[in-house]
């Protein structure tokens, strides 16, 4: 297993605990949650069940379809019902019987995609509360390990992690599974015998992010452009329709979520809540707040407060690499089976590369801090911008990454994607000085400001390169 060492160790330690254990594993779709749990327990469970997606349900109510599937899982575990299950209370009664009959020292119960099972007025959460609080914890034998898993991160957080009802503070552990880092992607490629340069791995990350499932689709012996064409642009390409599947699997009514995502995709630097309302025509309400929070919890967007601004100036930015790629190259566009090979070295790809590389950098801030030697220093990660004001001597600036350090230094980071060694020009240094001037004028900061360049290759040594306080390359992002 690549990465996930701490997560695997935590799950395997549950068997040794003296008390019954209740753990939630959550993270975006395709991130490897199910694989992690199954590998950690060597695919050996007292009982396991996976909820079914709404798209798979036909000719019956969603609740009944989920109950029928659970009944099948109970039968596989040796407990059969002659009649269909009518409620989740009945379903969990069957699970209790599975546990009673088991002779295993620890009864490991794995329920995957729990959020899909919670259909409208299902009573699932109440039945789960009763099962855990009224039965498992009341048993003399403290031998149950219950692991629940879901891709709908927001649902797990609302109903399990931050539950206000009977499940409040009942979890004994939780794992929020994150994307692979560049280093882990490189390790994964090596295990599959796929040889790409680090620059090519970064290009893959710009498209896939660190989602293991997407990386698993790459084929040995093919170039990067050949792989991208096969995965996205050929007839019946496996990731051509991933966009709709991704969001519809997470949200029962995805239309407004998709409108928000589309609005964010049109503004690479991010937009405010008011701008989201204006573009999407969704009213500013508690429901919008909930949807934005859900998208953030699922890892599709990030929310940040620009340096020096108040809470009401929050900015929302699309972060999901695959979604960015889809909106740039797939949505409402015609293409042929060699599309990506033909697009190479075009202005469209060059513009996208700059934005996508910025996302890669933002997802590797710990590696950037380590290179700067400040891993142990408290920092805040911000962005900042200002409008031009000639009367006040303000040029107008956009800074996409500020690392504000407790040791009274601010790294003003410029992220530049390049196919070769980067050449620092007089214009680049002039632009940096303008940004520093604007930033000092408006914020009044007394901190030292270090001009920091993050780029793919090395920096060519010339008269202007010495103006930089720090240079971070792609090699550093693989730390």
């Amino acid at each position: 297993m690549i990465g996930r060492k701490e997560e695997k160790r935590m799950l395997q330690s549950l068997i040794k605990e003296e008390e019954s254990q209740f753990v939630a594993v959550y993270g975006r779709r395709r991130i490897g949650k199910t694989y992690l749990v199954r590998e950690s327990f060597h695919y050996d469970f007292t009982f396991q069940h996976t909820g079914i997606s709404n798209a798979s349900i036909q000719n019956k109510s969603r609740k009944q379809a989920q109950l029928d599937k659970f009944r099948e899982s109970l039968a596989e575990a040796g407990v059969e019902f002659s009649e269909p299950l009518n409620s989740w209370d009945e379903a969990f009664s069957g699970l209790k019987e599975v546990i009673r009959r088991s002779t295993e020292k620890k009864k490991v119960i794995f329920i995957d995609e729990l959020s899909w099972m919670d259909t409208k007025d299902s009573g699932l959460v109440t039945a789960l509360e009763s099962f855990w609080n009224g039965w498992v914890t009341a048993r003399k034998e403290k031998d149950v390990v219950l692991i629940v898993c879901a891709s709908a991160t927001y649902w797990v957080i609302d109903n399990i992690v931050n539950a206000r009802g009977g499940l409040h503070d009942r979890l004994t552990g939780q794992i929020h599974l994150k994307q692979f880092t560049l280093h882990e992607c490189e390790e994964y490629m090596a295990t599959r015998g796929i040889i790409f340069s680090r620059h090519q791995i970064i290009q893959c990350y710009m498209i896939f992010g660190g989602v293991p499932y997407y990386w698993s689709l790459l084929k040995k012996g093919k170039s990067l452009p050949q792989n991208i064409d096969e995965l996205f642009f050929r007839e019946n390409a496996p990731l051509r329709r991933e966009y709709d599947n991704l969001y519809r699997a997470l949200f029962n009514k995805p239309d407004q979520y998709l409108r928000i995502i589309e609005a964010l995709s049109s503004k690479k630097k991010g937009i405010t809540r008011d701008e989201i309302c204006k573009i999407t025509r969704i009213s500013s309400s508690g429901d919008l707040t909930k949807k934005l929070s859900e998208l953030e919890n699922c890892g599709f967007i990030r929310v940040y407060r620009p340096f020096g601004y108040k809470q009401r100036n929050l900015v929302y930015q699309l972060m999901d690499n695959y979604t960015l790629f889809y909106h740039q190259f797939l949505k409402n566009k015609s293409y042929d089976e060699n599309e990506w090979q033909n697009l190479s070295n075009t202005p469209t790809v060059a513009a996208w590369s700059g934005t996508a590389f910025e996302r890669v950098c933002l997802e590797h801030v710990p590696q950037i801090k380590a290179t700067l030697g400040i891993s142990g220093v408290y920092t805040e990660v911000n962005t900042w911008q200002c409008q031009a004001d000639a009367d006040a001597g303000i040029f107008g600036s956009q800074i996409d990454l500020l690392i504000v350090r407790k040791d009274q230094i601010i790294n003003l980071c410029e992220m530049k994607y390049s196919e070769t060694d980067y050449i620092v020009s007089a214009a680049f240094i002039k632009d940096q000085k303008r940004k520093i001037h604007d930033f000092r004028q408006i914020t009044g900061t007394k901190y030292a400001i270090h001009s920091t360049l993050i780029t793919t290759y090395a920096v060519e040594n010339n008269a202007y390169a010495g103006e930089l306080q720090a240079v971070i390359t792609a090699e550093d992002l693989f730390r």
Side-chain angles (χ1 to χ4, degrees):
M1 184 184 295
I2 301 300
R4 318 305 198 200
K5 293 181 178 62
E6 289 301 318
E7 293 88 348
K8 184 176 180 180
R9 187 178 298 115
M10 183 269 205
L11 287 172
Q12 291 180 332
S13 72
L14 300 176
I15 299 295
K16 302 175 184 178
E17 297 293 338
E18 295 182 1
E19 305 288 330
S20 288
Q21 300 292 306
F22 183 10
V23 174
V25 180
Y26 53 98
R28 62 156 288 165
R29 191 168 185 252
R30 311 291 203 185
I31 208 68
K33 302 178 298 298
T34 304
Y35 181 77
L36 168 67
V37 176
R38 288 175 174 169
E39 284 287 317
S40 296
F41 292 97
H42 308 291
Y43 294 76
D44 185 16
F45 302 100
T46 305
F47 174 82
Q48 63 176 316
H49 172 73
T50 302
I52 51 179
S53 68
N54 292 328
S56 303
I57 298 172
Q58 298 177 347
N59 303 324
K60 63 174 71 176
S61 74
R62 291 178 177 178
K63 178 181 176 180
Q64 193 58 54
Q66 298 289 353
L67 285 169
D68 289 349
K69 189 67 176 178
F70 199 88
R71 180 185 171 208
E72 291 178 16
S73 297
L74 288 171
E76 291 174 5
V79 174
E80 299 198 30
F81 284 77
S82 59
E83 299 291 332
L85 297 172
N86 294 311
S87 69
W88 284 111
D89 284 324
E90 286 186 16
F92 280 103
S93 292
L95 181 53
K96 293 174 190 177
E97 186 59 28
V98 171
I99 293 170
R100 288 191 193 98
R101 294 184 187 184
S102 173
T103 59
E104 297 169 305
K105 185 176 180 180
K106 284 289 185 179
K107 285 73 172 172
V108 182
I109 312 301
F110 177 35
I111 302 178
D112 199 6
E113 296 299 357
L114 182 65
S115 60
W116 287 350
M117 297 159 59
D118 187 27
T119 55
K120 185 178 180 181
D121 300 322
S122 68
L124 172 70
V125 175
T126 302
L128 179 60
E129 291 173 2
S130 177
F131 168 73
W132 183 258
N133 295 333
W135 192 78
V136 173
T137 59
R139 280 166 55 83
K140 180 180 178 181
E141 300 84 359
K142 301 175 181 181
D143 56 357
V144 175
V145 175
L146 173 61
I147 302 167
V148 297
C149 192
S151 299
T153 301
Y154 68 92
W155 185 94
V156 178
I157 291 174
D158 287 348
N159 292 279
I160 307 294
V161 176
N162 296 330
R164 297 177 182 178
L167 289 178
H168 174 69
D169 207 25
R170 291 297 187 267
L171 283 181
T172 57
Q174 57 179 290
I175 295 174
H176 186 181
L177 205 61
K178 303 294 184 64
Q179 298 188 64
F180 276 172
T181 63
L182 282 167
H183 173 72
E184 289 167 334
C185 289
E186 184 178 45
E187 282 190 326
Y188 180 63
M189 296 278 277
T191 64
R192 301 188 61 229
I194 299 176
I195 299 175
F196 280 178
S197 69
R198 283 189 162 179
H199 187 82
Q200 290 169 324
I201 291 173
I202 284 179
Q203 289 177 312
C204 278
Y205 207 98
M206 287 157 57
I207 298 170
F208 296 151
V211 180
Y213 172 74
Y214 300 157
W215 288 81
S216 74
L217 300 175
L218 292 168
K219 297 291 180 61
K220 181 179 179 180
K222 293 184 180 293
S223 69
L224 174 58
Q226 286 175 323
N227 267 296
I228 299 307
D229 278 329
E230 283 202 2
L231 293 177
F232 291 95
F233 299 108
R234 301 273 166 89
E235 187 176 359
N236 298 319
L239 293 180
R240 180 183 287 192
R241 295 179 178 84
E242 170 71 3
Y243 181 77
D244 284 338
N245 294 336
L246 179 61
Y247 289 95
R248 294 186 188 281
L250 293 176
F251 307 110
N252 289 331
K253 297 179 179 179
D255 291 349
Q256 288 197 344
Y257 296 93
L258 291 172
R259 283 160 60 188
I260 294 169
I261 290 294
E262 288 167 7
L264 294 174
S265 72
S266 67
K267 305 290 183 179
K268 303 300 188 293
K269 304 299 183 184
I271 54 179
T272 65
R273 181 190 179 100
D274 289 343
E275 290 172 316
I276 290 173
C277 293
K278 182 177 180 180
I279 296 171
T280 64
R281 298 183 180 179
I282 298 173
S283 61
S284 182
S285 64
D287 186 58
L288 175 60
T289 300
K290 183 173 182 291
K291 286 181 168 58
L292 290 170
S293 178
E294 290 170 355
L295 287 168
E296 181 186 10
N297 286 334
C298 287
F300 294 117
I301 69 173
R302 73 165 179 147
V303 185
Y304 64 88
R305 180 172 55 83
F307 182 87
Y309 285 81
K310 298 179 180 179
Q311 187 71 18
R312 63 185 177 84
N313 296 99
L314 290 176
V315 173
Y316 299 82
Q317 184 180 38
L318 179 61
M319 288 297 293
D320 185 64
N321 303 62
Y322 166 80
T323 301
L324 283 164
F325 183 83
Y326 171 85
H327 279 280
Q328 181 69 51
F329 297 107
L330 293 169
K331 184 185 177 186
N332 299 330
K333 294 182 180 180
S334 59
Y335 40 79
D336 61 39
E337 60 181 18
N338 297 310
E339 183 79 8
W340 195 246
Q341 296 176 70
N342 295 331
L343 278 173
S344 297
N345 301 317
T346 62
T348 301
V349 170
W352 163 80
S353 296
T355 300
F357 181 67
E358 287 178 6
R359 297 300 189 277
V360 176
C361 295
L362 291 172
E363 290 159 349
H364 288 79
V365 170
Q367 288 77 12
I368 294 170
K369 288 180 60 178
T371 304
L372 293 171
I374 57 171
S375 292
V377 177
Y378 175 78
T379 62
E380 291 184 1
V381 177
N382 294 103
T383 64
W384 185 82
Q385 62 180 339
C386 68
Q387 300 297 321
D389 185 344
D391 293 337
I394 302 298
F395 299 103
S397 298
Q398 170 76 42
I399 303 170
D400 295 319
L401 178 58
L402 283 171
I403 301 177
V404 184
R405 300 155 45 172
K406 196 173 183 179
D407 59 2
Q408 299 192 347
I409 291 175
I410 297 175
N411 288 93
L412 188 157
C413 301
E414 193 74 25
M415 297 167 280
K416 295 291 186 181
Y417 178 82
S418 177
E419 296 283 350
T420 60
D421 287 357
Y422 189 79
I423 300 174
V424 180
S425 64
F428 177 89
I429 295 301
K430 184 178 182 180
D431 184 60
Q432 287 294 96
K433 289 181 176 179
R434 283 179 171 178
K435 289 180 178 181
I436 292 172
H437 169 269
D438 284 354
F439 187 73
R440 285 197 181 282
Q441 285 288 99
I442 293 179
T443 67
T445 183
K446 299 296 189 294
Y447 283 18
I449 299 177
H450 286 189
S451 180
T452 304
L453 174 64
I454 307 173
T455 188
T456 40
Y457 289 105
V459 171
E460 188 171 298
N461 189 19
N462 63 17
Y464 301 108
E467 298 278 346
L468 298 170
Q469 292 294 314
V471 174
I472 295 166
T473 68
E475 293 291 318
D476 299 315
L477 299 181
F478 280 83
R479 291 172 74 114

